[in-house]
Amino acid sequence: MTTKREGFYWLAVLFTFALGTSAGDLTAERLSVGYWQSALLFAALIAATSISHLRFGANAILTFWIAYILTRPLGASIGDYLSQPTADGGLGLGTTVTSIIFLSVILAVVVYLTITKADRIERASVSRASEASEPPAQRVPLVRGPLVPEIDESGG
């Protein structure tokens, strides 16, 4: 990973967090869509983006970034729905309880993936003829980035 690429990544993270919060608030509050409905809207947009890639072959990099950006307003809308007072269309759980819920879900997912390794895929062999000469299939993470290092499982 180059410094320029890592800088772009962190700049994208910064802007998408700000964009996500403002887009979630825009749809839920300013456009009076509501928190839960905004969450459903952004979830549907993420699903449509995924389908455009998986079913219709849309560019993988473009669809990744679109989905990545849309996760921010989705999370903000869900967070607002849980934390905002019932008079404002939320559940009224408050920010502390909502933060504990989100933290618990994140920890549960991390523990689950650590134990099951369900987030890894096997590399497929190129051909059956070369299988005998190739080392065993290597498990690779589905996500790579500055925080997900290469993993050498060969023991060397």
Side-chain angles (χ1 to χ4, degrees), residues 22 42 56 58 60-61 64 69 86 102 107 114 116 124 135 137 149 152-153:
S22 61
F42 290 112
F56 302 110
I61 294 171
F64 166 82
I69 289 167
T86 54
F102 275 120
L107 286 174
T114 300
T116 66
D152 180 12
E153 293 183 1

Side-chain angles (χ1 to χ4, degrees), residues 120 135-139 150-156:
R120 295 179 178 220
Q138 187 178 22
R139 296 180 70 100
E150 296 282 336
I151 297 172
D152 180 12
E153 293 183 1
S154 64

